Amino acid sequence: MDLFLHLWVMIFIYTIFAMSLNLEMGYTGLFNFGHVAFFGIGAYVSALLTLHQVPFEFALVAALLAAGLLGFLLSIPSLRLRGDTFGIATLGFGEIIRMVFQNEVWLTKGPMGLPGIPKPVLFSYRFATLPQYLLLTLGFSVLTFLVLRIIIRSPLGRAFKAVREDEVAAVALGKNIFHFRIKSFVIGSVLAGLAGTLWGHYTTFISPGDFTLLETILVLLIVVLGGKGTELGPLVGAVVLIFFQESLRFLRLPAEWSRYLAPLQQMIFGSLLIFLMIYRPEGLLREKGAGR
Amino acid sequence: MTFLLQSIFNGLLAGCIYALFAMGLTLIYGVLNFVNFAHGELIMWGAYFLYLFMESPLGLPLPIALIPALCLTILLGLSMDRFAFKPLRQANRLTLLITALGLSFFLRNGAQLFWGAELRTYGFEIKRGWKIFNISITTNQIAIILTTLVCIAVVYLLLHRSRIGKSMRAVSDNLELARVAGINTRRTIRFAWIMSSSLACIGGILLALDTNLQPGMGMINLVKAFAAILLGGVGNIWGALLGGIVIGFAENLGVLIISTGYKDAIAFGIMVLLLLLKPPILYGSQD
């Protein structure tokens, strides 16, 4: 039963993470390959603050602001780039943030990581047990879903899609594409920070090794598998992939296998990404009205 | 002063290696018009292939082991194109990039599956270098510089003196026009992959000679190679050469000022700086 609840907590956290990437990649066409950086910032900021006895409410707000601010700063130089150039710039950025976690030992304890992150307390209600935490993550993912739904169906969301589909036409209609890209990127970063915060307080231990390219690939795969630019795609992708990933962990395979199992699992992720792109680039759910 | 000279020398050394990476990356960019995210993995696998032939049970000496290693890397590059990128020639850019990223991840973990995540070396004894102007220079380091010079000469001759090289330049200039002029674009693309993979393999081996082997070595060098091609102008092979050397210098001189933990971040810093100054080549519209 606990395993089941754990699975759903992870699924909801990754759904939020994937929804944030879906806004950037699926709706606005920004190839963010360093999305894990914002997840990491959210986790670290909130963990550090709560470990210093700051109430969770403030820590959460600070984490979201930090992720958003970082997203804003990064977006200024890199959003001028063409798609692939932007992709590689964000990839490098993700690595740099990890280097910061690793090297600023005075703050983050470096590779040792931060243990004992307290469970969140929201309005003097403590989310300590698994069912309670499930409720918290469910609540936040529903909230994220509704916020994104409102954004996507608003004129702002339509402008995002216009930027994705045809930059020239968007410019011709008097849209400042640069502003729309920044908005999308900042909202995406804030939501990734939210997912990271929830994740950090759930596992109660974070270290730089948790925020590698693997996380980016996993969330990218969730978005692509579920269907880019669809409202429910991130949830569908998260259910399938988190189930696959976490169930392997609970199969209780012999310890000496783990040296082979981890790379093997990641090879499966990589090849799944390639196969999807070649044979079913639209994913499981197809975006309404999408060409091709 | 000695320290500074040593840093400059180390910068030249690193620059040579990065130049090889960047030239390979920009060759594919020129012909196929996309950044091959899996280029770093060609670098890494090239270095590991050599390791495979130099270790027991084979235990070949380096110059002989180099030949099968080079062949296998070329094969890897060609099959990358055949199985992942060729089906997507007409696809949009995002599809291509995600494929390349997935491929890179696949290959990196493949290496980890075979060789584990630990650091490895080719097992040469560490020899004391010669002292010239108080800086120490080892035989390996001289070999690195000489190999780079040979590679550059070969690339120059191939691109400017051979028929296939000329058609490659034509294709990267304008694919449609080249096709109309009767250039066999398929053959040209294949040739570009062969050159790119060879450069990656040799560069990877040189890097591993100078430092060590590790499955993660590909990705971080991809970012550096990319910074180098941005610096030199995307698609311009001689610019990439120059950009690589500049990145090498900047890294080794930069650590005189900032902590060595951030050495790998310097290339990224240069990249951001370039983007802020926005030279016109960088921000063409999304095609």
Side-chain angles (χ1 to χ4, degrees):
Chain A
M1 190 59 197
D2 275 2
L3 172 60
F4 185 73
L5 293 179
H6 164 78
L7 262 174
W8 280 99
V9 170
M10 291 300 278
I11 286 172
F12 286 131
I13 291 174
Y14 274 89
T15 304
I16 298 175
F17 193 19
M19 281 194 287
S20 68
L21 185 64
N22 192 26
L23 176 73
E24 295 175 14
M25 211 177 68
Y27 288 105
T28 325
L30 297 171
F31 312 169
N32 185 352
F33 293 159
H35 205 45
V36 67
F38 304 101
F39 188 76
I41 287 289
Y44 262 97
V45 169
S46 168
L48 282 169
L49 287 176
T50 46
L51 282 172
H52 288 89
Q53 270 74 46
V54 175
F56 178 72
E57 294 91 337
F58 292 113
L60 177 66
V61 172
L64 300 191
L65 284 179
L69 186 68
L70 204 71
F72 178 68
L73 289 179
L74 177 71
S75 65
I76 296 171
S78 32
L79 284 177
R80 294 178 195 280
L81 301 174
R82 248 170 39 156
D84 44 358
T85 323
F86 179 67
I88 210 154
T90 48
L91 191 74
F93 178 73
E95 282 296 298
I96 293 209
I97 291 294
R98 200 170 55 80
M99 271 182 228
V100 173
F101 295 153
Q102 193 124 23
N103 285 310
E104 299 303 317
V105 180
W106 59 276
L107 185 68
T108 63
K109 297 213 181 104
M112 306 287 292
L114 294 172
I117 303 167
K119 292 286 181 197
V121 180
L122 258 184
F123 309 114
S124 63
Y125 184 81
R126 191 158 181 273
F127 294 90
T129 65
L130 252 176
Q132 286 169 334
Y133 213 93
L134 181 62
L135 211 65
L136 180 75
T137 48
L138 174 66
F140 271 116
S141 49
V142 169
L143 192 69
T144 309
F145 179 80
L146 291 177
V147 168
L148 283 179
R149 192 187 165 99
I150 291 168
I151 291 177
I152 284 157
R153 297 188 173 189
S154 72
L156 181 63
R158 285 197 293 276
F160 285 165
K161 284 192 214 172
V163 170
R164 177 193 68 183
E165 290 298 328
D166 194 338
E167 241 170 66
V168 180
V171 174
L173 287 170
K175 306 281 184 206
N176 184 336
I177 53 169
F178 189 52
H179 281 181
F180 286 117
R181 285 181 175 176
I182 287 186
K183 273 181 194 153
S184 169
F185 198 73
V186 170
I187 298 171
S189 305
V190 169
L191 293 175
L194 172 66
T197 306
L198 291 173
W199 186 78
H201 287 273
Y202 178 62
T203 62
T204 69
F205 172 76
I206 54 174
S207 68
D210 297 327
F211 307 105
T212 58
L213 188 63
L214 168 65
E215 294 298 310
T216 302
I217 297 273
L218 182 61
V219 73
L220 191 68
L221 196 50
I222 290 175
V223 172
V224 169
L225 181 70
K228 305 188 290 287
T230 60
E231 285 177 355
L232 284 173
L235 179 66
V236 173
V239 168
V240 175
L241 282 167
I242 298 299
F243 191 79
F244 170 70
Q245 194 195 28
E246 296 293 310
S247 55
L248 266 184
R249 195 173 296 178
F250 282 90
L251 278 180
R252 301 200 185 288
L253 295 164
E256 61 266 27
W257 286 19
S258 69
R259 186 191 165 284
Y260 300 102
L261 219 56
L264 208 59
Q265 183 198 347
Q266 294 169 21
M267 282 172 79
I268 293 174
F269 283 167
S271 45
L272 189 59
L273 210 47
I274 303 171
F275 275 107
L276 272 174
M277 282 296 107
I278 296 178
Y279 297 107
R280 199 176 166 84
E282 70 273 19
L284 294 174
L285 307 179
R286 187 192 288 264
E287 185 184 0
K288 265 182 233 144
R292 270 201 324 135
Chain B
M1 189 58 199
T2 312
F3 196 55
L4 185 68
L5 272 178
Q6 183 77 54
S7 297
I8 291 175
F9 178 70
N10 290 347
L12 176 69
L13 213 63
C16 284
I17 296 171
Y18 296 154
L20 293 181
F21 296 161
M23 282 160 72
L25 188 62
T26 208
L27 271 174
I28 293 299
Y29 189 92
V31 174
L32 292 176
N33 202 20
F34 86 107
V35 177
N36 179 16
F37 274 51
H39 191 72
E41 266 48 53
L42 282 176
I43 292 168
M44 185 261 296
W45 273 91
Y48 270 105
F49 279 141
L50 186 74
Y51 180 82
L52 179 73
F53 289 107
M54 281 180 67
E55 277 306 291
S56 55
L58 292 162
L60 302 174
L62 195 149
I64 298 173
L66 186 64
I67 299 164
L70 202 58
C71 292
L72 281 179
T73 317
I74 291 173
L75 197 68
L76 181 65
L78 287 174
S79 33
M80 253 158 83
D81 186 48
R82 173 67 190 79
F83 295 109
F85 300 134
K86 204 172 170 209
L88 295 170
R89 285 276 196 269
Q90 306 302 325
N92 68 33
R93 202 176 270 273
L94 181 60
T95 312
L96 210 56
L97 286 182
I98 295 177
T99 310
L101 193 64
L103 189 62
S104 146
F105 199 62
F106 175 79
L107 289 173
R108 174 183 179 171
N109 283 290
Q112 194 166 333
L113 188 70
F114 283 118
W115 287 289
E118 60 268 26
L119 299 180
R120 287 166 191 271
T121 61
Y122 291 132
F124 287 117
E125 273 175 58
I126 297 172
K127 278 185 231 138
R128 202 175 196 137
W130 300 309
K131 289 268 175 194
I132 300 170
F133 299 117
N134 265 337
I135 54 178
S136 85
I137 299 174
T138 64
T139 332
N140 275 352
Q141 292 172 328
I142 292 174
I144 289 172
I145 294 173
L146 287 179
T147 314
T148 310
L149 289 177
V150 171
C151 286
I152 293 167
V154 170
V155 168
Y156 177 81
L157 288 177
L158 279 175
L159 282 184
H160 291 268
R161 293 282 180 270
S162 79
R163 203 181 157 76
I164 185 86
K166 281 179 188 164
S167 56
M168 206 162 96
R169 283 192 295 146
V171 168
S172 65
D173 224 29
N174 189 329
L175 183 96
E176 295 305 316
L177 219 57
R179 198 171 274 161
V180 170
I183 287 173
N184 184 340
T185 47
R186 271 201 187 157
R187 232 183 99 214
T188 314
I189 289 171
R190 211 178 307 139
F191 187 68
W193 276 105
I194 291 174
M195 273 181 82
S196 172
S197 315
S198 314
L199 286 170
C201 176
I202 293 169
I205 288 169
L206 296 182
L207 182 69
L209 271 179
D210 198 35
T211 56
N212 47 44
L213 290 136
Q214 195 219 328
M217 69 193 268
M219 225 274 292
I220 194 72
N221 284 300
L222 170 77
V223 175
K224 289 176 192 174
F226 184 73
I229 69 172
L230 272 188
L231 204 62
V234 178
N236 178 344
I237 188 157
W238 306 115
L241 168 66
L242 214 64
I245 290 174
V246 172
I247 299 278
F249 277 123
E251 264 187 3
N252 283 280
L253 294 175
V255 290
L256 299 176
I257 308 165
I258 61 167
S259 142
T260 43
Y262 289 108
K263 189 176 176 187
D264 290 336
I266 290 175
F268 183 80
I270 292 176
M271 194 152 88
V272 170
L273 214 63
L274 277 174
L275 302 177
L276 282 172
L277 300 172
K278 50 175 182 174
I281 37 153
L282 298 180
Y283 60 107
S285 74
Q286 202 156 1
D287 50 309

